[in-house]
Amino acid sequence: MSELLARHRAVMPNWLALNYHDPIEIVSGKGNRVIDADGKSYLDFFAGILTNMIGYDVPEVRAAVERQLATGVVHTSTVYLLRGQVELAEKIARVSGIPDAKVFFTNSGTEANETALLLATYARKSDQVLAMRQSYHGRSFGAISVTSNRSWKNNSLSPLNVHFLHGADRHLVQFEGLSDADYIKACVDDLRHVLATSVSDDVAALIAEPVQGVGGFTMAPDGLFAAYKEVLDEQGILFISDEVQTGWGRTGSSFFGIGNHGVTPDMITFAKGLGNGFAVGGVVARGDLMDAPHAVGLSTFGGNPISMAAANATLDYVLDHDLQANAARTGEIIISGLKAAAERLSVVKGVRGKGLMFAVELETPAQAGRFMELTKRAGLLAGKGGLYGTAIRMAPPLTLTVEEATEGLGIIVTALETIDAEAAAQ
Ligand SMILES: Cc1ncc(COP(=O)(O)O)c(C=O)c1O
């Protein structure tokens, strides 16, 4: 065990999971690659859990942060005007497509979802919330209560009354063989049944990830959320799209993941990639919902000048370089390459994804662990996940080049071939 790992084990919680048998310490990065403490270089297909959205050491982000540092002001608080917040809120309100949108900044995705749930329960005067099976929305009591993955729930304490819906679980036997349209119909029927049987009076909101992150990039067929929204609208139930992983063009086909369903939600929550590593999260919501709470509120560090400088520079970079189009282009190379390889690899049970957010479903958690070790050795960082621990999830920076996409695909396919051969030899 390395000296740092021993010190980590002594003072950090056991449940703070580390990747790899011999965990690595990343000490530097440039472009879409990082270097570990032993000097080994990796193509980064996990990007700090989808957070280093435009890669490492980006001059524009660095310059923006350095300009802010040079003013001597790292923090003032929201009791003073903050130009960076206003500028970023204007941009986010515009790209959200939400009418008369207003924005509140937080430090994390968890806090963003707490805020959205507060706004929804306040507006609807109800503690009843709908969420999706296999979801993950964060680590606070409210966020855990709408999380549907037992591995991430330590207890069932909940400030909310939650019912979980189908929609990203078509592997279940009752949905086997259904077309997209029939699966959507079955899910909508179930939603109506839940609303008829399991709730009382008004429901506040549905919260959903367009592509489930921790769930292993499982997702509803395009159009499901439009069909759900028709039912929700009949009862005035609000719709919150958790775009902590799916925002800013990552899915290639839409700037926010929910756009793939042709839906404009009432609120969008975001975090992770927006600050390209600097802590920033938030909610963009219909102005009437955002303005409604009667009590005053603030987030001390939320939207601080440094994170706003980084986030403004990052969002400008994404828009100026049309990284959504790049995600579509490079993601297609990888996803189609993986699907082609899967046809001859019996250990691969599925390939799914949109843009630069793609996953490979293996047969066993041990195979997923083996994949992690093999790709690490070959110089590529990936992530694990999924309800059953059998999904490999990957989401490189949106700045990935065509050459890097091809290189990464090669490493992934070689690792899968090795695992396939090992399984065949057993
Ligand atoms: C979809 C989604 N929502 C919310 C969160 C929570 O974000 P944070 O870890 O910044 O609190 C995550 C984190 O992985 C996430 O993937």
Side-chain angles (χ1 to χ4, degrees):
M1 196 191 298
S2 77
E3 187 236 41
L4 186 58
L5 179 58
R7 287 167 56 197
H8 174 103
R9 296 251 192 264
V11 292
M12 308 298 285
N14 285 343
W15 42 263
L16 199 60
L18 287 165
N19 277 349
Y20 306 118
H21 181 265
D22 296 316
I24 58 170
E25 180 194 6
I26 293 171
V27 293
S28 67
K30 189 151 200 70
N32 301 318
R33 293 178 200 268
V34 293
I35 309 262
D36 75 10
D38 295 328
K40 184 171 169 59
S41 171
Y42 303 88
L43 186 56
D44 192 354
F45 267 36
F46 206 36
I49 323 183
L50 294 87
T51 298
N52 302 313
M53 178 164 71
I54 58 173
Y56 296 84
D57 198 18
V58 182
E60 288 84 345
V61 178
R62 180 203 281 254
V65 170
E66 283 177 351
R67 267 197 307 276
Q68 184 60 41
L69 280 173
T71 66
V73 174
V74 171
H75 173 77
T76 63
S77 91
T78 47
V79 299
Y80 306 105
L81 286 169
L82 284 161
R83 186 171 297 275
Q85 281 204 2
V86 174
E87 285 174 1
L88 187 61
E90 286 168 349
K91 288 174 206 166
I92 293 173
R94 180 171 56 78
V95 294
S96 74
I98 296 174
D100 305 317
K102 288 196 166 186
V103 183
F104 179 72
F105 290 109
T106 65
N107 301 290
S108 68
T110 298
E111 288 173 78
N113 285 331
E114 286 289 334
T115 307
L117 291 166
L118 173 82
L119 295 178
T121 51
Y122 189 93
R124 298 279 295 156
K125 303 281 175 272
S126 166
D127 66 350
Q128 299 186 101
V129 172
L130 305 171
M132 303 295 290
R133 291 191 186 194
Q134 303 173 183
S135 60
Y136 178 81
H137 294 289
R139 55 173 297 280
S140 59
F141 280 107
I144 288 176
S145 74
V146 288
T147 288
S148 166
N149 183 328
R150 195 169 169 165
S151 316
W152 292 85
K153 279 167 109 83
N154 279 307
N155 57 44
S156 60
L157 298 175
S158 171
L160 300 167
N161 202 325
V162 185
H163 297 279
F164 291 99
L165 304 180
H166 296 292
D169 51 7
R170 60 195 303 178
H171 62 283
L172 296 181
V173 69
Q174 65 266 40
F175 302 126
E176 236 168 54
L178 294 188
S179 66
D180 283 2
D182 286 342
Y183 176 61
I184 290 174
K185 194 166 167 304
C187 291
V188 169
D189 271 3
D190 183 69
L191 167 59
R192 285 196 185 282
H193 198 248
V194 167
L195 291 175
T197 58
S198 310
V199 304
S200 143
D201 206 17
D202 289 338
V203 172
L206 165 64
I207 183 166
E209 302 155 90
V211 180
Q212 296 182 323
V214 170
F217 296 175
T218 37
M219 69 188 100
D222 288 352
L224 178 127
F225 289 116
Y228 270 6
K229 190 149 191 317
E230 262 183 56
V231 179
L232 302 180
D233 285 347
E234 288 167 12
Q235 301 192 17
I237 300 170
L238 301 169
F239 183 48
I240 304 165
S241 186
D242 179 340
E243 302 271 355
V244 166
Q245 298 214 5
T246 46
W248 323 115
R250 178 163 291 282
T251 63
S253 38
S254 176
F255 197 67
F256 287 103
I258 200 62
N260 291 298
H261 293 258
V263 168
T264 303
D266 300 291
M267 302 183 215
I268 288 173
T269 57
F270 56 85
K272 288 202 188 286
L274 181 61
N276 205 44
F278 287 85
V280 49
V283 186
V284 51
R286 267 174 31 205
D288 59 318
L289 298 172
M290 187 66 90
D291 283 336
H294 65 273
V296 288
L298 60 79
S299 165
T300 298
F301 289 122
N304 70 76
I306 298 291
S307 68
M308 292 296 99
N312 271 301
T314 303
L315 185 53
D316 289 348
Y317 192 100
V318 167
L319 295 170
D320 293 348
H321 294 79
D322 195 3
L323 293 188
Q324 180 186 331
N326 190 57
R329 185 167 49 243
T330 49
E332 173 56 23
I333 293 170
I334 298 169
I335 293 170
S336 61
L338 289 175
K339 285 191 170 155
E343 283 175 21
R344 57 187 167 77
L345 299 170
S346 61
V347 289
V348 177
K349 293 295 148 207
V351 172
R352 54 182 173 260
K354 273 191 195 304
L356 283 177
M357 198 170 178
F358 44 87
V360 177
E361 189 73 39
L362 293 171
E363 286 171 322
T364 63
Q367 287 171 352
R370 179 80 175 127
F371 178 95
M372 294 292 285
E373 297 300 331
L374 286 169
T375 47
K376 176 192 171 203
R377 200 181 302 160
L380 181 132
L381 298 183
K384 272 191 304 187
L387 189 60
Y388 312 105
T390 46
I392 298 295
R393 48 187 185 128
M394 290 163 282
L398 304 184
T399 43
L400 195 75
T401 64
V402 167
E403 293 72 30
E404 288 166 339
T406 311
E407 178 189 340
L409 174 64
I411 295 174
I412 297 164
V413 171
T414 303
L416 293 173
E417 284 168 350
T418 303
I419 295 165
D420 201 57
E422 287 170 354
Q426 270 172 10

